[in-house]
Amino acid sequence: MCDRNVREGILVGCGNPLLDISAIVPLEFLKKYAMKEDDAILAEERHMPIYQELVDGFQAEFLAGGSVQNSLRIAQWILGQPKVAVFFGCVGQDKYADILAEKARSAGLDVHYQVKKDVPTGTCAVLITGTHRSLCANLAAANNFTIDHLEEPGNKALVDNALYYYISGFFLTVNPPSIMKVAATAHANQRPFLMNLSAPFISQFYMAPLLAVLPYVDIIFGNEAEAQAFAEAQKWPSEDLREIGKRLVAMDKLNPSRPRIAILTQGCDPVLLIQQDSVQEFPVTKLAVHEIVDTNGAGDAFVGGFLSQFVQGKSLDVCIRCGNYAAGHIIKNPGCTYNGKPEFVE
């Protein structure tokens, strides 16, 4: 919980808002759409009916999704104080956008979506078959975010007003100029800019915009697969996660007075906190097999837990421990969802 009053709008995030449509389905439903258990795919034309079919034919649940929006929701849950986090992303003008906004705001987020009338809101079908969870994402409107939304006076004021900034690597596929604008604002005002490597394909296919923004990044998050993909794209040795982290923090940085920090997760193995002159390990509490419901939201939850403490000015070790707490809680629930009140203790 928030043990000191944190002002509204202190944290700004940009990402891809997706409405998760989640339902328990039979295996035949997966086969109908040529999907496998535990798939995570981008929707093709043949998948487009899936979303309405889930709503019409199953007991579908709606959840506010998308990586950054997930992280900010978790941060809000732990802080227990509304509107600490502001979120920007692009949606359509439709019922799904209304549901998404309602779900996000009820979680305490201050959402300021850009609305595109001619494109549907991004959705992700979450197909649950036993302990398996298959994802089919249609980014749709989320792909259409433009920098002019951040330049509108009200939104510019929100960006200028924040003290912390968080953007996912996924957003590099959507609108790098917006990322650079937020990064430059953070740099000009000497405020922390945090980013996530997000997925191996970002390093494989979007390295140019990633390298353009990296000099602004104060804290970089990633898991072992993402860090290894970055190393391979840079032609570095990719076996040793510690060495990758050391090289990451040593890359060019615009503000040398605040050396870069890398925080690398590795599933149930310890989280690595890598700074200029040290590598620290933070153990992860191992869960029993029967406690693990869904690991998909663990990375987003880790960042959310971290941010909830970081915006309170807590030490990095407290931030990481809260990240581990949040990830452990989320793994016991379907999707990136939580139960009850947070029980993190420093």
Side-chain angles (χ1 to χ4, degrees):
M1 295 292 284
C2 185
D3 65 8
R4 61 186 81 177
N5 195 43
V6 179
R7 71 162 170 81
E8 289 186 5
I10 199 171
L11 170 64
V12 157
C14 298
N16 300 330
L18 302 176
L19 183 67
D20 286 351
I21 305 173
S22 175
I24 297 169
V25 299
L27 267 176
E28 290 70 44
F29 190 84
L30 288 186
K31 291 174 185 164
K32 176 180 176 180
Y33 286 102
M35 291 178 66
K36 303 186 297 292
E37 288 185 318
D38 297 322
D39 252 352
I41 63 170
L42 288 177
E44 300 170 23
E45 196 59 44
R46 62 182 168 168
H47 298 110
M48 290 309 168
I50 204 170
Y51 308 98
Q52 194 60 46
E53 191 171 343
L54 283 179
V55 174
D56 292 343
F58 298 90
Q59 290 184 305
E61 265 193 296
F62 293 110
L63 302 166
S67 178
V68 173
Q69 193 163 237
N70 281 342
S71 294
L72 298 188
R73 282 194 302 107
I74 299 300
Q76 286 287 168
W77 170 60
I78 294 172
L79 286 163
Q81 181 184 323
K83 295 191 174 182
V84 171
V86 176
F87 176 74
F88 294 105
C90 188
V91 297
Q93 190 174 49
D94 53 28
K95 63 180 179 183
Y96 286 163
D98 297 338
I99 296 169
L100 190 54
E102 189 275 319
K103 294 287 183 187
R105 289 184 176 125
S106 68
L109 268 186
D110 185 14
V111 294
H112 292 265
Y113 297 138
Q114 184 175 20
V115 178
K116 293 286 170 123
K117 294 179 181 176
D118 51 347
V119 196
T121 295
T123 45
C124 183
V126 182
L127 312 174
I128 300 162
T129 49
T131 58
H132 302 280
R133 187 168 174 268
S134 310
L135 309 176
C136 181
N138 177 24
L139 293 183
N143 258 330
N144 290 23
F145 191 89
T146 55
I147 193 169
D148 55 298
H149 186 64
L150 294 180
E151 290 168 343
E152 290 176 12
N155 294 336
K156 183 178 184 302
L158 289 166
V159 174
D160 291 343
N161 177 56
L163 298 182
Y164 303 88
Y165 303 88
Y166 175 62
I167 294 179
S168 69
F170 289 126
F171 208 57
L172 289 165
T173 73
V174 173
N175 196 259
S178 295
I179 300 179
M180 298 304 290
K181 181 178 179 62
V182 173
T185 301
H187 176 65
N189 294 304
Q190 300 279 301
R191 294 167 184 170
F193 181 80
L194 296 81
M195 198 161 179
N196 204 315
L197 291 173
S198 291
F201 81 84
I202 299 297
S203 289
Q204 289 159 355
F205 303 112
Y206 295 90
M207 185 56 89
L210 178 54
L211 290 179
V213 74
L214 200 58
Y216 292 92
V217 176
D218 296 296
I219 298 180
I220 185 89
F221 298 96
N223 64 26
E224 67 269 52
E226 294 153 6
Q228 285 162 352
F230 186 92
E232 285 163 10
Q234 288 295 304
K235 307 282 196 289
W236 297 346
S238 59
E239 293 76 40
D240 185 345
L241 209 55
R242 291 163 170 258
E243 186 59 35
I244 295 170
K246 287 177 185 173
R247 290 184 181 230
L248 256 175
V249 301
M251 292 182 80
D252 285 348
K253 192 163 187 303
L254 281 172
N255 180 2
S257 67
R258 183 164 39 217
R260 184 179 299 114
I261 294 163
I263 297 171
L264 303 179
T265 61
Q266 33 184 0
C268 60
D269 292 328
V271 175
L272 301 181
L273 168 62
I274 300 156
Q275 302 183 78
Q276 261 185 326
D277 51 2
S278 69
V279 179
Q280 290 170 265
E281 290 191 357
F282 292 82
V284 173
T285 302
K286 286 189 167 59
L287 299 177
V289 173
H290 72 269
E291 292 181 286
I292 299 171
V293 174
D294 186 350
T295 58
N296 267 316
D300 295 342
F302 177 87
V303 174
F306 182 98
L307 288 170
S308 74
Q309 305 306 299
F310 194 60
V311 301
Q312 297 181 72
K314 300 291 178 69
S315 64
L316 288 172
D317 63 319
V318 171
C319 296
I320 290 172
R321 284 208 308 276
C322 190
N324 282 338
Y325 160 76
H329 180 93
I330 293 307
I331 286 170
K332 297 176 192 173
N333 291 278
C336 198
T337 59
Y338 43 80
N339 274 321
K341 293 203 178 302
E343 296 172 350
F344 174 68
V345 180
E346 284 183 46

